[in-house]
Amino acid sequence: MDDCVFCKIIEGEILGEVFMENQDFLAIRDINPKAPQHLLVIPREHVASLEGTEGWPDEKVAEMFRFVRMVADKAGIRDSGYRVLSNVGEDAGQVVFHLHVHVVGGAGLGDFA
Ligand code: AMP
């Protein structure tokens, strides 16, 4: 999609630090990390947020969560624990309107969310 920063990373038009990828999803390092490990899991298909997954087959939703777990494993935070979070819309403070799941860990994260 035009003017979508994550679509541009997926298309190779701008540089992103790709951490892992498969046919449907990418994990990139967040440009402004909030913890020692801060990855973003992004579908190749442009949907604005979790709300855009309404028409997805159940298997694709499950695959996204499997991919999150594989990312956590590769990042070395599966045993120590990690947070999975996706901002949806204005009140959540969503800034990039291409669905992404934050995978954050590598240190104690406090008790919010
Ligand atoms: P939010 O939409 O609130 O979940 O926040 C968007 C996230 O994307 C923020 O944590 C940003 O640091 C991150 N971000 C924005 N642009 C880039 C980029 N070009 N590469 C990697 N991460 C980015």
Side-chain angles (χ1 to χ4, degrees), residues 61-103:
V61 178
E63 167 66 14
M64 187 162 184
F65 279 93
R66 260 196 303 275
F67 191 78
V68 163
R69 287 171 41 237
M70 288 163 61
V71 166
D73 191 41
K74 186 175 174 190
I77 54 176
R78 203 168 185 174
D79 290 339
S80 51
Y82 56 96
R83 182 168 294 154
V84 175
L85 180 147
S86 192
N87 291 317
V88 179
E90 190 179 342
D91 277 2
Q94 185 177 0
V95 173
V96 177
F97 286 85
H98 181 128
L99 170 61
H100 54 282
V101 171
H102 296 256
V103 182

Side-chain angles (χ1 to χ4, degrees), residues 5-6 28-32 40 87 93-96 100 102:
V5 66
F6 290 167
I28 63 169
R29 287 206 178 273
D30 196 294
I31 205 168
N32 183 21
L40 303 173
N87 291 317
Q94 185 177 0
V95 173
V96 177
H100 54 282
H102 296 256

